[in-house]
Amino acid sequence: MSTTQTSTIDFGHSLRDAVVAGILTMLVFSPITNFVLKQYSFTLDWFRSPFFLNGLAIGLIVAFVRFFVSVGAQTQTGQNFIQNFIRTEHGVEVEDEYADGGKRLRRVLLWGGSLMAVFLALGLSGVIYRGAGIALVLVVLFVMIAMGVRIPKRRGKTHPWKGALPVLFLVGLLLPLLFFYFGWFGKSWINNLTLAMVYVLLGLGLNIVVGLAGLLDLGFVAFYAVGAYFLALGAEYLGIGFWSALFLAPLLAALCGGLLGFPVLKMHGDYLAIVTLGFGEIIRLVLVNWISFTGGPNGASVPDPTIFNLEFVRRARGDAVSFHDFFGLPYSSDYRYLFVYLLLFVISMIALRFFTQLRVMPIGRSWEALREDEIACRSLGINHVTVKLSAFMLGAMIGGLAGVFFATAQGFISPQSFNFFESVLILSIVVLGGMGSSIGVIIAAFTLTLLPEFLREFAGYRVLLFGLLMILMMIWRPNGLLRPKRSVFRKSEVA
């Protein structure tokens, strides 16, 4: 004999819950969205546009959603969903990247190709800005290539993307050139994608320190500034060019990372975060106050890059030859930005591949062991000093490399570009993407840097939207967009 349990729904409780949630939301958001400052006074605009970002509208939306969530939670289906959500695993997932490699590749190509076709059609048809559609196509292509690059090489096995990855990489280089040739990929969106890939590099660098080694670093922007100012000041005082800075700036940033890491070897958690925050502020204050050397708040100019001594200018200086004259092309200032974009694309893939291989090596396993339990890590004979310093130095090296590309792309830098908010943004990229997940960090970097470009009409609400996104992510995806995964050693490790 079986009995079925039926649960009654208390609509009154759900209604009261929704009303309280809506009123509290209005009290919180109305002072932010409905009070308009005018010099030393303010006015109250209850129907301030856009209305769906109005405090009243947000409160009504929250009350509406809260009512249906409360009702749904009282049903059997809702209770099952809550139990499944509570039981969700929050650890590192073990995966075998080589299992069904061909099937995974076909699935990625199918979904990625479909998205690229949709975005291209939307851009060319005028539904969205053409430049925005082309940028989304290139972002999807970048993520597709990164998904293949992040699969580590395993001894005695053939890489599942062995044939497709070189082809995709070549397409990633040629497709921007094709779009540029047809005039669909202009300076504005080239710069936007270049800046997004700079943050991809920064996210990958900080992912080593925070995501893999578990060292909370709030001063990562300092290494970013070291790389940028090394190019600007090196060109002014030492005649250092772009290519020299590309190799020397990461070494200087890594040295600074070692200098920061050595005194804080015994610090953890909040104490480590405060010290690294202080280090970042020291670097910024030095750049602001050492006016005779750094230019202070006035900033410093950055020389243009060259390729095989070919300059991206209308008329080359001295015996030098300009890029467009050498290839017989009409002059365009966009050649410089396209070159930086393509070079940064290659460097980003090399950095991703480098970190992928490091993670499956003993040093990568040591970082993860240090993150999980430092005492157990040291009891196993792992030198925590070497492990921590290597994490700080490698992360700082990538930060310095990103600084060189940022300075080259902008042509001018100032201390305002390296404030504390930049450190928060880079840390948010790592947290939202998933600490330890390279693909998640890449997706989060593109999302947080390109989303404001699509929301220019709501420029006054960018920080508000950013905060709401953080809250939703921490509630529904506490591990970030993608859970961190580690490679399998034996088939028995995969559940």
Side-chain angles (χ1 to χ4, degrees):
M1 182 176 180
S2 61
T3 59
T4 58
Q5 180 180 2
T6 60
S7 60
T8 59
I9 299 177
D10 187 353
F11 288 98
H13 170 75
S14 299
L15 182 61
R16 291 191 298 271
D17 194 17
V19 170
V20 172
I23 292 176
L24 290 177
T25 303
M26 291 180 186
L27 292 176
V28 172
F29 285 98
S30 292
I32 301 174
T33 59
N34 296 99
F35 286 91
V36 182
L37 295 178
K38 290 185 177 180
Q39 294 182 351
Y40 297 102
S41 62
F42 63 88
T43 58
L44 185 62
D45 186 1
W46 291 108
F47 301 99
R48 185 177 181 182
S49 60
F51 187 69
F52 70 90
L53 289 178
N54 195 310
L56 294 178
I58 295 174
L60 292 175
I61 293 173
V62 169
F64 182 80
V65 173
R66 182 73 178 182
F67 175 78
F68 284 98
V69 169
S70 179
V71 171
Q74 298 179 56
T75 63
Q76 188 62 40
T77 303
Q79 293 174 6
N80 292 336
F81 175 79
I82 293 174
Q83 292 298 323
N84 291 332
F85 181 78
I86 294 175
R87 288 197 299 265
T88 300
E89 295 182 3
H90 299 291
V92 177
E93 182 180 353
V94 179
E95 69 166 350
D96 186 359
E97 306 94 338
Y98 285 75
D100 298 328
K103 185 178 180 180
R104 291 187 180 187
L105 173 59
R106 288 191 295 270
R107 186 165 59 245
V108 170
L109 292 177
L110 175 62
W111 284 101
S114 301
L115 283 176
M116 291 171 63
V118 169
F119 290 140
L120 183 61
L122 291 176
L124 296 181
S125 62
V127 176
I128 61 176
Y129 290 114
R130 187 170 58 187
I134 298 301
L136 291 174
V137 169
L138 296 179
V139 167
V140 173
L141 181 59
F142 186 96
V143 175
M144 289 172 60
I145 299 172
M147 293 179 70
V149 173
R150 66 165 287 274
I151 301 177
K153 181 69 175 68
R154 292 174 61 181
R155 184 179 301 176
K157 290 196 174 184
T158 303
H159 197 285
W161 289 44
K162 182 179 180 180
L165 196 56
V167 176
L168 287 174
F169 188 81
L170 186 61
V171 172
L173 291 176
L174 295 180
L175 200 59
L177 295 175
L178 184 64
F179 290 149
F180 179 79
Y181 175 77
F182 286 108
W184 300 343
F185 193 38
K187 173 184 174 181
S188 175
W189 279 102
I190 293 177
N191 279 336
N192 291 336
L193 283 185
T194 300
L195 182 61
M197 284 196 291
V198 166
Y199 280 99
V200 167
L201 276 181
L202 292 170
L204 291 175
L206 187 60
N207 193 36
I208 293 179
V209 184
V210 178
L212 297 182
L215 305 171
L216 184 56
D217 187 354
L218 292 180
F220 192 75
V221 73
F223 312 120
Y224 185 31
V226 167
Y229 268 90
F230 180 85
L231 174 59
L233 301 182
E236 181 178 353
Y237 295 105
L238 302 175
I240 293 177
F242 169 74
W243 291 102
S244 300
L246 199 61
F247 291 97
L248 297 177
L251 298 179
L252 179 61
L255 178 62
C256 294
L259 293 177
L260 169 64
F262 190 78
V264 298
L265 289 175
K266 294 184 179 181
M267 294 184 178
H268 308 276
D270 300 338
Y271 301 99
L272 178 62
I274 292 173
V275 172
T276 54
L277 172 62
F279 179 78
E281 283 300 298
I282 288 173
I283 296 295
R284 187 185 66 84
L285 291 175
V286 168
L287 296 177
V288 170
N289 295 307
W290 198 357
I291 300 177
S292 61
F293 181 66
T294 65
N298 297 324
S301 59
V302 180
D304 293 333
T306 60
I307 176 172
F308 300 113
N309 292 326
L310 300 177
E311 299 181 352
F312 296 93
V313 293
R314 186 181 295 274
R315 288 186 177 86
R317 294 165 293 183
D319 297 333
V321 181
S322 61
F323 177 84
H324 66 281
D325 287 336
F326 183 82
F327 289 99
L329 301 172
Y331 170 73
S332 174
S333 61
D334 295 347
Y335 294 146
R336 167 177 172 264
Y337 302 102
L338 185 62
F339 164 71
V340 175
Y341 167 81
L342 293 175
L343 182 60
L344 183 53
F345 172 82
V346 175
I347 295 296
S348 300
M349 291 301 169
I350 294 175
L352 177 59
R353 186 65 186 174
F354 177 67
F355 290 144
T356 298
Q357 290 303 124
L358 277 182
R359 187 172 182 180
V360 298
M361 293 172 63
I363 184 64
R365 300 299 182 191
S366 300
W367 289 335
E368 293 183 331
L370 184 73
R371 177 192 64 198
E372 298 300 328
D373 193 329
E374 182 175 346
I375 297 177
C377 176
R378 295 172 64 178
S379 68
L380 293 174
I382 297 177
N383 189 339
H384 71 289
V385 175
T386 305
V387 174
K388 285 187 176 182
L389 287 181
S390 63
F392 271 114
M393 295 181 70
L394 284 174
M397 181 179 69
I398 297 302
L401 185 63
V404 173
F405 278 104
F406 172 77
T408 303
Q410 298 296 317
F412 175 83
I413 55 174
S414 68
Q416 285 299 111
S417 301
F418 311 102
N419 52 28
F420 173 67
F421 182 76
E422 291 297 313
S423 286
V424 174
L425 179 59
I426 302 168
L427 183 61
S428 300
I429 288 173
V430 176
V431 174
L432 293 180
M435 292 191 293
S437 173
S438 56
I439 297 298
V441 167
I442 291 172
I443 296 175
F446 280 118
T447 302
L448 294 183
T449 52
L450 294 182
L451 190 60
E453 297 299 326
F454 293 97
L455 298 176
R456 283 190 173 273
E457 297 180 359
F458 311 108
Y461 299 91
R462 286 182 185 178
V463 179
L464 175 62
L465 294 176
F466 180 74
L468 291 175
L469 177 63
M470 290 284 289
I471 293 172
L472 293 176
M473 286 296 300
M474 292 303 100
I475 294 175
W476 296 105
R477 301 288 295 182
N479 283 328
L481 292 173
L482 296 176
R483 288 180 60 190
K485 300 178 180 180
R486 70 172 178 86
S487 303
V488 66
F489 287 111
R490 298 182 302 273
K491 288 186 178 181
S492 59
E493 293 187 52
V494 182

